[in-house]
Every structure is written in C-alpha cells, then in structure tokens.
C-alpha cells in the first residue's frame, strides 16, 4: 500500500508522516493501547490452552490404543516364537534319534543346551541390573557430592590425563 502526500502531510514533521505511513501499511488498524493488547491475549488464552489440552487428550487416547495393539502383537509374536523354538528342538531330537541316539539322551541334550542359554541370559541380565539405578546421574545429582563440575586433575584416575610425549621432528 502506498501513501499519497496531502497538503496537511506537508505541514507535519517527517516522523509523523512516516508513522502515518507505517499505520497505513500495517493494515490500517488503529493503534491499540498496551492494556487492550493484554486484554485480547488474556481473552484468547483459554481457547489456546483448551485446544492444546484437547489435542493432548486425543493423542493420549490414540497412543493408548496403539499401546494395546503393540502389546497384543508382542504376545502373538512371543507365542509364535515359542512354538517355533519348540519345533526346532523337536526336529533336532528327531534327527538325533534317527542318528541312533536314545530319545532320553536326545531330550537331555536339548534340556542342557536350553539350561545353559537360560543361565547365560540370567547372568547377563543380573550384570545389567546395576544400570537401572542410573548411578552416574544419581552421583551427579546427589546433594553431598560437592561441586557439579568435572573432577579436578588430582581427583581423576591417573589413566585419564596422561601427558602425550612430544616426538622430535624428523630431519628433512
């Protein structure tokens, strides 16, 4: 939008003409006081918050339904995985029996392999349990730990701050 100069504009100082042009280019909206702007924002605030709360509620509902479906698919996958596992071991037992093994010995081998794998899984899980307590975060956030900055050189283990020896430059 362009402003045209009128005879009254010529009598005004240039700042006033510039302000009038700015108002005209801003949509010809009359200047509002700060109180009116604050009142408008406060008037619109419940609607803005309400919309976001409704969106949050709808997304939580959708996420809940998705979680139920994910759990159902996980249960189905676990059941199918277990039946496949049993089928693999029954095929192995059948092959061992066809190779001349007694059925008890073939089943015993399968049981020993499964017990060994289960023991390994339990030991590994027990080692990982210490990570669930978030030890580094708890140490960093504990009140009696002193400073929240990095430890000084005297407190750090010797392997962290080893000086790198300088190597002499090769003669050219």
């Amino acid at each position: 939008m362009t402003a045209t100069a009128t005879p009254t504009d010529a009598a005004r100082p240039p700042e006033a003409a510039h302000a009038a042009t700015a108002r005209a280019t801003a949509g010809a909206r009359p200047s509002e006081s700060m109180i009116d702007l604050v009142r408008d924002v406060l008037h619109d605030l419940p609607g803005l918050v309400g919309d976001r709360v409704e969106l949050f509620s709808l997304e939580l509902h959708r996420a809940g339904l998705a979680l139920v479906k994910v759990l159902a698919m996980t249960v189905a996958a676990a059941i199918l995985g277990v039946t496949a596992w049993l089928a693999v071991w029954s095929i192995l037992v059948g092959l061992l029996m066809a190779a001349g093994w007694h059925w008890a010995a073939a089943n015993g081998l399968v049981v020993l392999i499964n017990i060994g794998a289960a023991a390994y899984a339990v030991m590994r899980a027990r080692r990982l349990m210490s990570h669930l307590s978030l030890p580094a975060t708890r140490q960093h956030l504990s009140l009696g730990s002193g400073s929240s900055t990095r430890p000084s050189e005297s407190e750090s283990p010797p392997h962290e701050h080893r000086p790198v020896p300088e190597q002499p430059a090769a003669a050219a």
Side-chain angles (χ1 to χ4, degrees):
M1 225 174 155
T2 60
T4 58
T6 61
T8 57
D9 286 340
R12 290 187 198 165
E15 297 85 24
H18 180 66
T21 304
R23 277 195 303 270
T25 59
R29 185 174 170 184
S31 63
E32 297 180 358
S33 69
M34 186 61 98
I35 295 173
D36 291 337
L37 290 174
V38 170
R39 186 178 304 130
D40 288 344
V41 168
L42 290 176
H43 182 290
D44 293 341
L45 191 61
L48 294 173
V49 171
D51 291 345
R52 283 166 176 74
V53 168
E54 184 174 353
L55 176 65
F56 180 65
S57 171
L58 290 172
E59 282 195 313
L60 277 179
H61 183 264
R62 189 169 89 178
L65 292 174
L67 180 62
V68 168
K69 290 176 183 177
V70 165
L71 289 174
M73 292 295 121
T74 302
V75 168
I79 291 170
L80 294 171
V82 167
T83 56
W85 183 258
L86 292 173
V88 166
W89 286 113
S90 66
I91 290 170
L92 179 66
V93 167
L95 290 174
L96 290 174
M97 288 173 53
W101 284 50
H102 189 269
W103 67 269
N107 280 317
L109 177 66
V110 168
V111 168
L112 287 176
I113 291 172
N114 278 297
I115 287 175
Y120 171 76
V122 167
M123 287 186 329
R124 182 75 177 124
R126 291 183 85 186
R127 275 192 232 128
L128 291 173
M129 290 296 284
S130 64
H131 295 290
L132 294 178
S133 66
L134 309 172
T137 302
R138 292 178 68 193
Q139 180 182 3
H140 184 72
L141 295 177
S142 65
L143 295 175
S145 68
S147 174
S148 64
T149 60
R150 297 179 69 183
S152 67
E153 288 185 28
S154 62
E155 296 172 353
S156 62
H159 67 276
E160 282 188 7
H161 297 286
R162 288 187 187 154
V164 177
E166 292 184 28
Q167 300 192 7

